[in-house]
Amino acid sequence: MRIPLIPSELKDFAQVFRRAGRQCYIVGGAVRDGLIGRLVADYDAATDAPPEEVMRLFRRVVPTGIKHGTVTVLWKGRNIETTTFRRDLGYSDGRRPDKVEFGASLEEDLARRDFTINAMALDPLESRIIDPHGGQADLERRLVRAVGDPVLRFAEDGLRPLRAVRFATQLGFEIEAATFAAVNGALSRLKAVSAERLREEIEKILMASEPSRGLRLMEESGMLAIVLPELTACRGVEQRGLHRFDVLDHLYVSLDASPRDREIRLAALFHDIGKPGTRRREDDGVFTFHRHEELSARLAEGILKRLRFPNAVIDEVTHLIRQHMFFYDESWSDAAVRRFLARVGTDHVDKLLALRLADSTGILGHPADPRSIEPLRRRIDAVIAKDEALGLKDLAIGGSELAALGVPRGPVMGRILAELLETVLDDPEQNTKEQLLRIARGIMPKYGL
Ligand code: ATP
Ligand code: MG
């Protein structure tokens, strides 16, 4: 295969090692991606120099994973993760090596890596590829194949089967047959893997151009039932009506149709997972899924917490799921558009419309017409352009004015403010200080004030 172009600053980097009598290779994803012409975002390096020596060789070094021999060198605008050649000894828990041992050779270091396409090294000074496991041949055949015996390699680290799926999905490769067959025996090891490591791989699968390929591979190999059983529960749940697919295929197609945005993709994947738990069969044989968006949001919250997603992500994804059941038609009044916007929030409305389009594609089984959301889009833009009140912070009076009227701070004040907002959403003309004070005085007796 063609040797990838090596940026000159990496050659300079390797030169520092050579002058110290040490070796330095580019390893891992950068070699793989460089060989197939994929964009290389960051470079990892491997060296025979122990970490302490690497720290002495460079001025700006962060000891990011010093126990495992990894330091990050800040070099000419790049962060180069530099790891000392190592052997991994013993994996009694199927999660991480019990001990790593330095003083290994490049060949030993490549042999501990997971897949042949990830187990090559590039010598930046000689422009030479070191490829003892046939990584280039597998790149040409478009195969993800374990280095060595897949059964043993998966027993060492239960995350590797999911990584195989991740690389197959990102690269559009197949998983080599023996490697795929070994997944089944490693499922119990997958259960022991930390949430953070699972999340990283799942996020990468979801951000691929056809993420459903990864989910189908997970489903077929039994991984989905362990990592995301809430999805497996959607398999075979028929919906009828306009729907072409069962719930799980509907979610897969919606996911593939959604833009490459983490929150939209997570919402697309989970937006209907409450359907199995809410399905009712009516007398005429039609299925209903009353309030499934609420159950979907609650289940999604559980999944995202379990996988330790950041709270901001959890909040937005569950919000999008809760709001996904809206049905616009031109009979909506301006007040209805304002109430919709107030409920969804102007910050989230673009994502919600994107989710709707993806959902429609998942129902129809062919790409939904992007113009279908235009009429609502235009109404929303018109409301936003008028800059009318859509939230409590936009009201002409606030808590201190109500307090001056004798409303105690607390839940009652909250309810009065909510009523004022309802009034203003119906009729923006009411949003003046005098008018809102008058209305507030009118409703205070209702709360015993
Ligand atoms: P990406 O481009 O997504 O970063 P990558 O191949 O660099 O892909 P990383 O997870 O960053 O993947 O790991 C860097 C390298 O370290 C891999 O290419 C592989 O050689 C090795 N590696 C990472 N995780 C494992 C693992 N669990 N078992 C064995 N080798 C691993
Ligand atoms: Mg990497």
Side-chain angles (χ1 to χ4, degrees), residues 27-30 32-33 38 41-42 44 81 86 88 91 95 109-110 112-115 117-120 153 156-157 159-160 163 166-167 170 197 200-201 204:
V27 289
R32 176 195 71 224
D33 292 344
R38 264 179 119 233
D42 43 38
D44 296 327
E81 280 211 353
R86 59 178 227 219
D88 296 342
Y91 283 81
R95 294 159 68 172
D109 187 80
L110 294 178
R112 74 170 170 89
R113 294 172 184 271
D114 46 8
F115 303 107
I117 57 173
N118 290 345
M120 296 178 271
R153 301 313 308 283
E156 287 170 357
D157 177 359
L159 184 67
R160 287 179 187 152
R163 284 175 59 83
R166 188 258 278 194
F167 290 116
Q170 280 184 324
R197 296 180 77 206
E200 245 183 72
E201 302 302 327
K204 287 180 176 170

Side-chain angles (χ1 to χ4, degrees), residues 222-357:
M223 279 187 260
L224 196 68
I226 288 169
V227 180
L228 296 167
E230 297 87 347
L231 284 178
T232 332
C234 296
R235 175 53 79 215
V237 178
E238 294 301 330
Q239 333 193 51
R240 305 201 182 144
L242 293 173
H243 276 273
R244 280 220 22 213
F245 303 118
D246 73 357
V247 174
L248 190 52
D249 281 333
H250 167 69
L251 293 172
Y252 288 168
V253 177
S254 304
L255 172 65
D256 285 350
S258 49
R260 229 183 254 249
D261 171 279
R262 177 170 60 171
E263 286 75 23
I264 302 175
R265 289 226 162 152
L266 285 166
L269 180 59
F270 297 138
H271 75 278
D272 279 347
I273 50 175
K275 280 190 167 176
T278 52
R279 190 167 74 155
R280 295 279 175 280
R281 193 198 177 97
E282 303 296 306
D283 293 339
D284 53 4
V286 169
F287 289 123
T288 61
F289 303 91
H290 187 61
R291 302 280 302 144
H292 71 272
E293 64 275 25
E294 182 56 38
L295 182 56
S296 300
R298 287 213 307 271
L299 291 171
E301 182 178 359
I303 296 170
L304 296 170
K305 280 194 169 145
R306 187 168 83 221
L307 291 172
R308 308 233 199 292
F309 273 89
N311 284 332
V313 174
I314 300 177
D315 289 347
E316 181 159 44
V317 171
T318 53
H319 179 64
L320 292 171
I321 294 174
R322 265 199 188 89
Q323 299 302 330
H324 87 270
M325 295 293 287
F326 62 90
F327 299 96
Y328 173 75
D329 66 56
E330 65 270 34
S331 73
W332 277 26
S333 62
D334 285 346
V337 177
R338 282 190 295 268
R339 276 195 296 268
F340 170 76
L341 257 184
R343 192 166 72 237
V344 173
T346 46
D347 294 347
H348 307 291
V349 78
D350 290 334
K351 293 194 181 193
L352 188 64
L353 293 186
L355 176 62
R356 160 53 49 88
L357 212 49

